[in-house]
Amino acid sequence: MLEDDVLHLAQITIEQLISKQATIATAESCTGGLIAGALTSVPGSSAAVFGGYVTYSNEAKTQMLGVPVHLIEEVGAVSKEVACAMAEGAQRISGATLSVAVTGIAGPGGGTAEKPVGLVHFACADEDGSCHIVRNFKEMERDEVREETVRVALTLVLARLDQRQLP
């Protein structure tokens, strides 16, 4: 279960999406659908949530979102490039106003010196292109990394919405 502050952030996000007559799609790897789950926990969220893509495997990223295989092979699934491709694919395929994507290493295993456990790449895409941020939630347990990822993803969406003009 997500913390109350994350659910409150989801509520604010839904309110902003509705007020701007915008829709959202999520593309999630390390969170396994938690962002979409947080958003759809808000009553009335169907007015703003298109849906979500849980693309946990590399094959799912390629098949569902159109992330190029060569991109994953060249830079790895946990990268700025793949996060942006995920967000752009989700936005393009869904037709939603904007999308948010996350790809990371929640742990406890799977990390390397270059890509440690807790590393998460975030991207948001809309008609104006995509933006990216990266966070390293080192010293956190798996569930904490996943929850913090939801928190940061929703904050990124709100920042992107702030840049949009009302219709």
Side-chain angles (χ1 to χ4, degrees):
M1 185 68 177
L2 295 170
E3 295 288 329
D4 288 345
D5 68 306
V6 175
L7 297 174
H8 181 69
L9 198 55
Q11 169 98 32
I12 294 167
T13 303
I14 292 297
E15 290 169 0
Q16 286 296 308
L17 285 162
I18 291 171
S19 76
K20 294 180 182 281
Q21 298 176 10
T23 56
I24 189 168
T26 64
E28 304 181 59
S29 186
C30 61
T31 50
L34 287 175
I35 299 167
L39 290 169
T40 59
S41 72
V42 178
S45 59
S46 61
V49 177
F50 169 84
Y53 303 91
V54 177
T55 56
Y56 207 70
S57 70
N58 291 343
E59 293 80 12
K61 290 171 183 64
T62 299
Q63 292 174 16
M64 295 170 70
L65 300 174
V67 176
V69 172
H70 73 85
L71 186 63
I72 295 171
E73 290 172 349
E74 290 170 13
V75 298
V78 180
S79 63
K80 172 184 179 176
E81 295 84 355
V82 170
C84 290
M86 289 171 63
E88 291 163 5
Q91 195 267 331
R92 180 183 66 254
I93 292 165
S94 70
T97 309
L98 75 153
S99 67
V100 64
V102 296
T103 181
I105 305 166
T112 66
E114 298 82 29
K115 295 182 181 183
V117 170
L119 179 69
V120 181
H121 286 268
F122 301 79
C124 195
D126 60 20
E127 63 192 15
D128 297 326
S130 62
C131 64
H132 166 265
I133 60 173
V134 63
R135 296 288 184 270
N136 189 344
F137 305 117
K138 56 187 170 192
E139 309 299 324
M140 288 187 180
E141 299 293 325
R142 180 180 180 81
D143 288 344
E144 294 172 306
V145 169
R146 288 164 43 99
E147 182 156 354
E148 194 60 29
T149 298
V150 175
R151 188 177 283 112
V152 172
L154 293 175
T155 302
L156 178 61
V157 169
L158 286 169
R160 193 71 174 196
L161 285 169
D162 281 346
Q163 297 172 359
R164 297 184 62 83
Q165 298 299 315
L166 286 170

